[in-house]
Amino acid sequence: MELVGGVLGTAIVPIIIIGVIVLNGARVLAEYERGVVFRLGRLINVKGPGFVVIIPFIDRMVRIDLRTITMDIPAQEIITKDNVTVKVNAVCYFKVMDPNKAVVQVQNYALATSQIAQTSMRSVVGQVPLDDLLSEREELNLRLQKIIDLQTEPWGIKVSIVELKDVQIPESMQRAMAQQAEAERERRAKVINAEGELQA
């Protein structure tokens, strides 16, 4: 009996240690998550989704969300090509395509994408006159999307859509544009009246 008790006592300790290791190393990743695993600082593999076991104190896992991320590009004061100061904000949709690159190639992929989006928006909007900014948004959106996507591709990021949301024009410029539109309407009215008199 004592022999059986001694064997059980010595067997229970390793079982408890293995159980603690498994519980500390057990992770559950959702369908939209991947875990980038580092073993003693070296990149091992991408794991998930589902139940994942890593070695505690030796492995470190970074969770990466693979869903599309909606990022607001804060309003920027930009001077257009025809020297009008406008405030422009936008929204950018992107997702992680390669979790390994998103962790290893850049320190914070979301912050880096935000910074590139802001500088690219300043650059693109600064190259067009105000009329084009207001009338050709689709073309500007496509240009922005291509520029940002090209710069974030080495990080495993895919930018799918960039949309300029709001263009705020100074009040003085709004008044000038309203006067210009009113003058244009008056000109058209006079032309129509003159054509009517000529026909009469």
Side-chain angles (χ1 to χ4, degrees), residues 12-44:
I12 289 177
V13 173
I15 290 172
I16 291 173
I17 291 171
I18 291 171
V20 168
I21 288 173
V22 168
L23 287 176
N24 279 338
R27 305 282 188 274
V28 176
L29 296 173
E31 184 64 38
Y32 55 83
E33 288 181 318
R34 297 297 179 270
V36 180
V37 179
F38 294 89
R39 180 162 296 153
L40 298 173
R42 283 184 171 269
L43 178 65
I44 297 298

PDB file of all heavy atoms in Angstrom, residues 12-44:
ATOM      1  N   ILE A  12       1.578  12.413  -9.154  1.00  0.00           N
ATOM      2  CA  ILE A  12       0.642  13.543  -9.109  1.00  0.00           C
ATOM      3  C   ILE A  12       1.371  14.867  -9.339  1.00  0.00           C
ATOM      4  O   ILE A  12       0.866  15.748 -10.030  1.00  0.00           O
ATOM      5  CB  ILE A  12      -0.109  13.547  -7.757  1.00  0.00           C
ATOM      6  CG1 ILE A  12      -1.091  12.384  -7.746  1.00  0.00           C
ATOM      7  CG2 ILE A  12      -0.840  14.859  -7.552  1.00  0.00           C
ATOM      8  CD1 ILE A  12      -1.836  12.215  -6.455  1.00  0.00           C
ATOM      9  N   VAL A  13       2.578  15.006  -8.808  1.00  0.00           N
ATOM     10  CA  VAL A  13       3.314  16.271  -8.942  1.00  0.00           C
ATOM     11  C   VAL A  13       3.580  16.613 -10.415  1.00  0.00           C
ATOM     12  O   VAL A  13       3.269  17.728 -10.856  1.00  0.00           O
ATOM     13  CB  VAL A  13       4.619  16.220  -8.113  1.00  0.00           C
ATOM     14  CG1 VAL A  13       5.463  17.445  -8.392  1.00  0.00           C
ATOM     15  CG2 VAL A  13       4.312  16.098  -6.635  1.00  0.00           C
ATOM     16  N   PRO A  14       4.129  15.684 -11.229  1.00  0.00           N
ATOM     17  CA  PRO A  14       4.332  16.029 -12.647  1.00  0.00           C
ATOM     18  C   PRO A  14       3.016  16.298 -13.380  1.00  0.00           C
ATOM     19  O   PRO A  14       2.964  17.167 -14.252  1.00  0.00           O
ATOM     20  CB  PRO A  14       5.029  14.799 -13.234  1.00  0.00           C
ATOM     21  CG  PRO A  14       5.604  14.076 -12.077  1.00  0.00           C
ATOM     22  CD  PRO A  14       4.729  14.393 -10.914  1.00  0.00           C
ATOM     23  N   ILE A  15       1.959  15.574 -13.015  1.00  0.00           N
ATOM     24  CA  ILE A  15       0.657  15.796 -13.661  1.00  0.00           C
ATOM     25  C   ILE A  15       0.168  17.205 -13.360  1.00  0.00           C
ATOM     26  O   ILE A  15      -0.342  17.913 -14.247  1.00  0.00           O
ATOM     27  CB  ILE A  15      -0.357  14.729 -13.208  1.00  0.00           C
ATOM     28  CG1 ILE A  15       0.027  13.378 -13.801  1.00  0.00           C
ATOM     29  CG2 ILE A  15      -1.770  15.109 -13.630  1.00  0.00           C
ATOM     30  CD1 ILE A  15      -0.770  12.205 -13.280  1.00  0.00           C
ATOM     31  N   ILE A  16       0.331  17.645 -12.115  1.00  0.00           N
ATOM     32  CA  ILE A  16      -0.097  19.002 -11.743  1.00  0.00           C
ATOM     33  C   ILE A  16       0.731  20.048 -12.501  1.00  0.00           C
ATOM     34  O   ILE A  16       0.195  21.034 -13.013  1.00  0.00           O
ATOM     35  CB  ILE A  16       0.016  19.202 -10.207  1.00  0.00           C
ATOM     36  CG1 ILE A  16      -1.034  18.350  -9.497  1.00  0.00           C
ATOM     37  CG2 ILE A  16      -0.129  20.671  -9.839  1.00  0.00           C
ATOM     38  CD1 ILE A  16      -0.923  18.337  -7.993  1.00  0.00           C
ATOM     39  N   ILE A  17       2.042  19.812 -12.585  1.00  0.00           N
ATOM     40  CA  ILE A  17       2.912  20.760 -13.307  1.00  0.00           C
ATOM     41  C   ILE A  17       2.514  20.839 -14.776  1.00  0.00           C
ATOM     42  O   ILE A  17       2.392  21.933 -15.344  1.00  0.00           O
ATOM     43  CB  ILE A  17       4.396  20.358 -13.149  1.00  0.00           C
ATOM     44  CG1 ILE A  17       4.837  20.574 -11.696  1.00  0.00           C
ATOM     45  CG2 ILE A  17       5.281  21.151 -14.101  1.00  0.00           C
ATOM     46  CD1 ILE A  17       6.214  20.020 -11.374  1.00  0.00           C
ATOM     47  N   ILE A  18       2.280  19.689 -15.411  1.00  0.00           N
ATOM     48  CA  ILE A  18       1.868  19.667 -16.822  1.00  0.00           C
ATOM     49  C   ILE A  18       0.519  20.361 -16.987  1.00  0.00           C
ATOM     50  O   ILE A  18       0.313  21.132 -17.931  1.00  0.00           O
ATOM     51  CB  ILE A  18       1.828  18.212 -17.351  1.00  0.00           C
ATOM     52  CG1 ILE A  18       3.249  17.667 -17.448  1.00  0.00           C
ATOM     53  CG2 ILE A  18       1.125  18.145 -18.703  1.00  0.00           C
ATOM     54  CD1 ILE A  18       3.329  16.188 -17.747  1.00  0.00           C
ATOM     55  N   GLY A  19      -0.391  20.107 -16.037  1.00  0.00           N
ATOM     56  CA  GLY A  19      -1.703  20.766 -16.090  1.00  0.00           C
ATOM     57  C   GLY A  19      -1.599  22.274 -16.002  1.00  0.00           C
ATOM     58  O   GLY A  19      -2.267  23.008 -16.750  1.00  0.00           O
ATOM     59  N   VAL A  20      -0.742  22.790 -15.115  1.00  0.00           N
ATOM     60  CA  VAL A  20      -0.553  24.241 -14.976  1.00  0.00           C
ATOM     61  C   VAL A  20       0.041  24.829 -16.250  1.00  0.00           C
ATOM     62  O   VAL A  20      -0.374  25.896 -16.724  1.00  0.00           O
ATOM     63  CB  VAL A  20       0.341  24.540 -13.748  1.00  0.00           C
ATOM     64  CG1 VAL A  20       0.785  25.991 -13.741  1.00  0.00           C
ATOM     65  CG2 VAL A  20      -0.387  24.200 -12.453  1.00  0.00           C
ATOM     66  N   ILE A  21       1.019  24.120 -16.841  1.00  0.00           N
ATOM     67  CA  ILE A  21       1.649  24.597 -18.084  1.00  0.00           C
ATOM     68  C   ILE A  21       0.620  24.672 -19.210  1.00  0.00           C
ATOM     69  O   ILE A  21       0.546  25.672 -19.942  1.00  0.00           O
ATOM     70  CB  ILE A  21       2.840  23.689 -18.472  1.00  0.00           C
ATOM     71  CG1 ILE A  21       4.014  23.932 -17.505  1.00  0.00           C
ATOM     72  CG2 ILE A  21       3.286  23.949 -19.903  1.00  0.00           C
ATOM     73  CD1 ILE A  21       5.170  22.972 -17.688  1.00  0.00           C
ATOM     74  N   VAL A  22      -0.198  23.620 -19.327  1.00  0.00           N
ATOM     75  CA  VAL A  22      -1.211  23.598 -20.395  1.00  0.00           C
ATOM     76  C   VAL A  22      -2.221  24.721 -20.182  1.00  0.00           C
ATOM     77  O   VAL A  22      -2.600  25.421 -21.127  1.00  0.00           O
ATOM     78  CB  VAL A  22      -1.908  22.211 -20.457  1.00  0.00           C
ATOM     79  CG1 VAL A  22      -3.147  22.278 -21.346  1.00  0.00           C
ATOM     80  CG2 VAL A  22      -0.944  21.164 -20.979  1.00  0.00           C
ATOM     81  N   LEU A  23      -2.665  24.924 -18.930  1.00  0.00           N
ATOM     82  CA  LEU A  23      -3.639  25.987 -18.660  1.00  0.00           C
ATOM     83  C   LEU A  23      -3.046  27.369 -18.922  1.00  0.00           C
ATOM     84  O   LEU A  23      -3.724  28.248 -19.451  1.00  0.00           O
ATOM     85  CB  LEU A  23      -4.139  25.891 -17.214  1.00  0.00           C
ATOM     86  CG  LEU A  23      -5.090  24.723 -16.925  1.00  0.00           C
ATOM     87  CD1 LEU A  23      -5.434  24.674 -15.450  1.00  0.00           C
ATOM     88  CD2 LEU A  23      -6.358  24.829 -17.758  1.00  0.00           C
ATOM     89  N   ASN A  24      -1.793  27.579 -18.569  1.00  0.00           N
ATOM     90  CA  ASN A  24      -1.149  28.877 -18.827  1.00  0.00           C
ATOM     91  C   ASN A  24      -0.883  29.102 -20.307  1.00  0.00           C
ATOM     92  O   ASN A  24      -0.834  30.244 -20.759  1.00  0.00           O
ATOM     93  CB  ASN A  24       0.168  28.993 -18.052  1.00  0.00           C
ATOM     94  CG  ASN A  24      -0.053  29.384 -16.611  1.00  0.00           C
ATOM     95  OD1 ASN A  24      -1.083  29.941 -16.267  1.00  0.00           O
ATOM     96  ND2 ASN A  24       0.908  29.090 -15.762  1.00  0.00           N
ATOM     97  N   GLY A  25      -0.674  28.033 -21.050  1.00  0.00           N
ATOM     98  CA  GLY A  25      -0.348  28.160 -22.468  1.00  0.00           C
ATOM     99  C   GLY A  25      -1.549  28.035 -23.388  1.00  0.00           C
ATOM    100  O   GLY A  25      -1.426  28.207 -24.592  1.00  0.00           O
ATOM    101  N   ALA A  26      -2.713  27.741 -22.828  1.00  0.00           N
ATOM    102  CA  ALA A  26      -3.906  27.540 -23.664  1.00  0.00           C
ATOM    103  C   ALA A  26      -4.501  28.880 -24.088  1.00  0.00           C
ATOM    104  O   ALA A  26      -4.640  29.794 -23.279  1.00  0.00           O
ATOM    105  CB  ALA A  26      -4.935  26.720 -22.900  1.00  0.00           C
ATOM    106  N   ARG A  27      -4.807  29.003 -25.346  1.00  0.00           N
ATOM    107  CA  ARG A  27      -5.458  30.201 -25.893  1.00  0.00           C
ATOM    108  C   ARG A  27      -6.560  29.750 -26.846  1.00  0.00           C
ATOM    109  O   ARG A  27      -6.463  28.719 -27.492  1.00  0.00           O
ATOM    110  CB  ARG A  27      -4.468  31.060 -26.687  1.00  0.00           C
ATOM    111  CG  ARG A  27      -3.212  31.481 -25.941  1.00  0.00           C
ATOM    112  CD  ARG A  27      -3.484  32.633 -24.997  1.00  0.00           C
ATOM    113  NE  ARG A  27      -2.254  33.162 -24.436  1.00  0.00           N
ATOM    114  CZ  ARG A  27      -1.642  32.705 -23.358  1.00  0.00           C
ATOM    115  NH1 ARG A  27      -2.144  31.665 -22.717  1.00  0.00           N
ATOM    116  NH2 ARG A  27      -0.541  33.263 -22.901  1.00  0.00           N
ATOM    117  N   VAL A  28      -7.584  30.587 -26.934  1.00  0.00           N
ATOM    118  CA  VAL A  28      -8.664  30.349 -27.894  1.00  0.00           C
ATOM    119  C   VAL A  28      -8.737  31.572 -28.803  1.00  0.00           C
ATOM    120  O   VAL A  28      -8.924  32.690 -28.328  1.00  0.00           O
ATOM    121  CB  VAL A  28     -10.013  30.109 -27.194  1.00  0.00           C
ATOM    122  CG1 VAL A  28     -11.130  29.955 -28.225  1.00  0.00           C
ATOM    123  CG2 VAL A  28      -9.948  28.872 -26.309  1.00  0.00           C
ATOM    124  N   LEU A  29      -8.563  31.341 -30.104  1.00  0.00           N
ATOM    125  CA  LEU A  29      -8.610  32.424 -31.087  1.00  0.00           C
ATOM    126  C   LEU A  29      -9.914  32.337 -31.868  1.00  0.00           C
ATOM    127  O   LEU A  29     -10.296  31.256 -32.336  1.00  0.00           O
ATOM    128  CB  LEU A  29      -7.423  32.317 -32.045  1.00  0.00           C
ATOM    129  CG  LEU A  29      -6.040  32.489 -31.412  1.00  0.00           C
ATOM    130  CD1 LEU A  29      -4.955  32.181 -32.423  1.00  0.00           C
ATOM    131  CD2 LEU A  29      -5.858  33.872 -30.853  1.00  0.00           C
ATOM    132  N   ALA A  30     -10.583  33.484 -32.022  1.00  0.00           N
ATOM    133  CA  ALA A  30     -11.831  33.536 -32.782  1.00  0.00           C
ATOM    134  C   ALA A  30     -11.545  33.321 -34.270  1.00  0.00           C
ATOM    135  O   ALA A  30     -10.396  33.394 -34.717  1.00  0.00           O
ATOM    136  CB  ALA A  30     -12.524  34.878 -32.547  1.00  0.00           C
ATOM    137  N   GLU A  31     -12.601  33.098 -35.028  1.00  0.00           N
ATOM    138  CA  GLU A  31     -12.472  32.834 -36.469  1.00  0.00           C
ATOM    139  C   GLU A  31     -11.752  33.973 -37.191  1.00  0.00           C
ATOM    140  O   GLU A  31     -11.034  33.756 -38.155  1.00  0.00           O
ATOM    141  CB  GLU A  31     -13.865  32.642 -37.075  1.00  0.00           C
ATOM    142  CG  GLU A  31     -13.868  32.259 -38.535  1.00  0.00           C
ATOM    143  CD  GLU A  31     -13.222  30.909 -38.800  1.00  0.00           C
ATOM    144  OE1 GLU A  31     -13.390  29.979 -37.992  1.00  0.00           O
ATOM    145  OE2 GLU A  31     -12.531  30.790 -39.831  1.00  0.00           O
ATOM    146  N   TYR A  32     -11.924  35.205 -36.718  1.00  0.00           N
ATOM    147  CA  TYR A  32     -11.327  36.371 -37.379  1.00  0.00           C
ATOM    148  C   TYR A  32      -9.972  36.753 -36.792  1.00  0.00           C
ATOM    149  O   TYR A  32      -9.414  37.780 -37.177  1.00  0.00           O
ATOM    150  CB  TYR A  32     -12.283  37.575 -37.284  1.00  0.00           C
ATOM    151  CG  TYR A  32     -12.694  37.908 -35.877  1.00  0.00           C
ATOM    152  CD1 TYR A  32     -11.890  38.677 -35.048  1.00  0.00           C
ATOM    153  CD2 TYR A  32     -13.899  37.429 -35.374  1.00  0.00           C
ATOM    154  CE1 TYR A  32     -12.261  38.974 -33.756  1.00  0.00           C
ATOM    155  CE2 TYR A  32     -14.278  37.717 -34.069  1.00  0.00           C
ATOM    156  CZ  TYR A  32     -13.460  38.494 -33.273  1.00  0.00           C
ATOM    157  OH  TYR A  32     -13.840  38.772 -31.986  1.00  0.00           O
ATOM    158  N   GLU A  33      -9.430  35.951 -35.874  1.00  0.00           N
ATOM    159  CA  GLU A  33      -8.143  36.265 -35.247  1.00  0.00           C
ATOM    160  C   GLU A  33      -7.070  35.262 -35.655  1.00  0.00           C
ATOM    161  O   GLU A  33      -7.356  34.105 -35.937  1.00  0.00           O
ATOM    162  CB  GLU A  33      -8.260  36.222 -33.711  1.00  0.00           C
ATOM    163  CG  GLU A  33      -9.029  37.356 -33.104  1.00  0.00           C
ATOM    164  CD  GLU A  33      -9.066  37.249 -31.591  1.00  0.00           C
ATOM    165  OE1 GLU A  33      -9.262  36.139 -31.065  1.00  0.00           O
ATOM    166  OE2 GLU A  33      -8.898  38.283 -30.931  1.00  0.00           O
ATOM    167  N   ARG A  34      -5.827  35.740 -35.655  1.00  0.00           N
ATOM    168  CA  ARG A  34      -4.672  34.864 -35.819  1.00  0.00           C
ATOM    169  C   ARG A  34      -3.662  35.234 -34.740  1.00  0.00           C
ATOM    170  O   ARG A  34      -3.595  36.386 -34.313  1.00  0.00           O
ATOM    171  CB  ARG A  34      -4.016  35.017 -37.202  1.00  0.00           C
ATOM    172  CG  ARG A  34      -4.894  34.625 -38.372  1.00  0.00           C
ATOM    173  CD  ARG A  34      -5.283  33.152 -38.353  1.00  0.00           C
ATOM    174  NE  ARG A  34      -6.138  32.813 -39.471  1.00  0.00           N
ATOM    175  CZ  ARG A  34      -7.461  32.867 -39.473  1.00  0.00           C
ATOM    176  NH1 ARG A  34      -8.098  33.274 -38.391  1.00  0.00           N
ATOM    177  NH2 ARG A  34      -8.158  32.520 -40.526  1.00  0.00           N
ATOM    178  N   GLY A  35      -2.882  34.252 -34.328  1.00  0.00           N
ATOM    179  CA  GLY A  35      -1.863  34.492 -33.320  1.00  0.00           C
ATOM    180  C   GLY A  35      -0.475  34.349 -33.924  1.00  0.00           C
ATOM    181  O   GLY A  35      -0.123  33.275 -34.428  1.00  0.00           O
ATOM    182  N   VAL A  36       0.304  35.421 -33.905  1.00  0.00           N
ATOM    183  CA  VAL A  36       1.687  35.369 -34.389  1.00  0.00           C
ATOM    184  C   VAL A  36       2.554  34.969 -33.195  1.00  0.00           C
ATOM    185  O   VAL A  36       2.611  35.686 -32.201  1.00  0.00           O
ATOM    186  CB  VAL A  36       2.130  36.732 -34.960  1.00  0.00           C
ATOM    187  CG1 VAL A  36       3.569  36.667 -35.448  1.00  0.00           C
ATOM    188  CG2 VAL A  36       1.206  37.163 -36.089  1.00  0.00           C
ATOM    189  N   VAL A  37       3.206  33.797 -33.297  1.00  0.00           N
ATOM    190  CA  VAL A  37       3.923  33.221 -32.153  1.00  0.00           C
ATOM    191  C   VAL A  37       5.426  33.441 -32.303  1.00  0.00           C
ATOM    192  O   VAL A  37       6.008  33.160 -33.352  1.00  0.00           O
ATOM    193  CB  VAL A  37       3.614  31.713 -32.024  1.00  0.00           C
ATOM    194  CG1 VAL A  37       4.377  31.102 -30.857  1.00  0.00           C
ATOM    195  CG2 VAL A  37       2.125  31.489 -31.848  1.00  0.00           C
ATOM    196  N   PHE A  38       6.034  33.924 -31.216  1.00  0.00           N
ATOM    197  CA  PHE A  38       7.482  34.088 -31.129  1.00  0.00           C
ATOM    198  C   PHE A  38       8.004  33.132 -30.063  1.00  0.00           C
ATOM    199  O   PHE A  38       7.465  33.082 -28.957  1.00  0.00           O
ATOM    200  CB  PHE A  38       7.851  35.518 -30.721  1.00  0.00           C
ATOM    201  CG  PHE A  38       7.493  36.551 -31.752  1.00  0.00           C
ATOM    202  CD1 PHE A  38       6.245  37.156 -31.747  1.00  0.00           C
ATOM    203  CD2 PHE A  38       8.407  36.909 -32.720  1.00  0.00           C
ATOM    204  CE1 PHE A  38       5.923  38.105 -32.700  1.00  0.00           C
ATOM    205  CE2 PHE A  38       8.093  37.865 -33.668  1.00  0.00           C
ATOM    206  CZ  PHE A  38       6.844  38.458 -33.655  1.00  0.00           C
ATOM    207  N   ARG A  39       9.031  32.349 -30.388  1.00  0.00           N
ATOM    208  CA  ARG A  39       9.666  31.456 -29.417  1.00  0.00           C
ATOM    209  C   ARG A  39      11.063  31.979 -29.123  1.00  0.00           C
ATOM    210  O   ARG A  39      11.912  32.014 -30.016  1.00  0.00           O
ATOM    211  CB  ARG A  39       9.713  30.031 -29.940  1.00  0.00           C
ATOM    212  CG  ARG A  39      10.363  29.059 -28.956  1.00  0.00           C
ATOM    213  CD  ARG A  39      10.023  27.616 -29.277  1.00  0.00           C
ATOM    214  NE  ARG A  39       8.597  27.401 -29.123  1.00  0.00           N
ATOM    215  CZ  ARG A  39       7.910  26.460 -29.788  1.00  0.00           C
ATOM    216  NH1 ARG A  39       8.536  25.663 -30.640  1.00  0.00           N
ATOM    217  NH2 ARG A  39       6.615  26.323 -29.602  1.00  0.00           N
ATOM    218  N   LEU A  40      11.271  32.432 -27.894  1.00  0.00           N
ATOM    219  CA  LEU A  40      12.541  33.041 -27.479  1.00  0.00           C
ATOM    220  C   LEU A  40      12.957  34.156 -28.442  1.00  0.00           C
ATOM    221  O   LEU A  40      14.115  34.285 -28.816  1.00  0.00           O
ATOM    222  CB  LEU A  40      13.636  31.979 -27.364  1.00  0.00           C
ATOM    223  CG  LEU A  40      13.392  30.887 -26.317  1.00  0.00           C
ATOM    224  CD1 LEU A  40      14.453  29.802 -26.413  1.00  0.00           C
ATOM    225  CD2 LEU A  40      13.338  31.466 -24.916  1.00  0.00           C
ATOM    226  N   GLY A  41      11.964  34.937 -28.868  1.00  0.00           N
ATOM    227  CA  GLY A  41      12.225  36.087 -29.732  1.00  0.00           C
ATOM    228  C   GLY A  41      12.198  35.811 -31.213  1.00  0.00           C
ATOM    229  O   GLY A  41      12.198  36.740 -32.013  1.00  0.00           O
ATOM    230  N   ARG A  42      12.172  34.525 -31.605  1.00  0.00           N
ATOM    231  CA  ARG A  42      12.162  34.186 -33.037  1.00  0.00           C
ATOM    232  C   ARG A  42      10.738  33.914 -33.509  1.00  0.00           C
ATOM    233  O   ARG A  42       9.969  33.242 -32.816  1.00  0.00           O
ATOM    234  CB  ARG A  42      13.001  32.938 -33.309  1.00  0.00           C
ATOM    235  CG  ARG A  42      14.480  33.182 -33.302  1.00  0.00           C
ATOM    236  CD  ARG A  42      15.202  31.895 -33.671  1.00  0.00           C
ATOM    237  NE  ARG A  42      16.599  32.144 -33.887  1.00  0.00           N
ATOM    238  CZ  ARG A  42      17.129  32.438 -35.058  1.00  0.00           C
ATOM    239  NH1 ARG A  42      16.379  32.538 -36.129  1.00  0.00           N
ATOM    240  NH2 ARG A  42      18.425  32.649 -35.172  1.00  0.00           N
ATOM    241  N   LEU A  43      10.430  34.422 -34.705  1.00  0.00           N
ATOM    242  CA  LEU A  43       9.106  34.189 -35.280  1.00  0.00           C
ATOM    243  C   LEU A  43       8.959  32.709 -35.615  1.00  0.00           C
ATOM    244  O   LEU A  43       9.784  32.146 -36.330  1.00  0.00           O
ATOM    245  CB  LEU A  43       8.939  35.036 -36.536  1.00  0.00           C
ATOM    246  CG  LEU A  43       7.617  34.880 -37.290  1.00  0.00           C
ATOM    247  CD1 LEU A  43       6.450  35.376 -36.452  1.00  0.00           C
ATOM    248  CD2 LEU A  43       7.669  35.642 -38.602  1.00  0.00           C
ATOM    249  N   ILE A  44       7.907  32.075 -35.089  1.00  0.00           N
ATOM    250  CA  ILE A  44       7.686  30.649 -35.339  1.00  0.00           C
ATOM    251  C   ILE A  44       6.641  30.448 -36.436  1.00  0.00           C
ATOM    252  O   ILE A  44       6.941  29.925 -37.494  1.00  0.00           O
ATOM    253  CB  ILE A  44       7.219  29.926 -34.047  1.00  0.00           C
ATOM    254  CG1 ILE A  44       8.291  29.999 -32.980  1.00  0.00           C
ATOM    255  CG2 ILE A  44       6.854  28.470 -34.327  1.00  0.00           C
ATOM    256  CD1 ILE A  44       9.583  29.322 -33.341  1.00  0.00           C
TER     257      ILE A  44
END
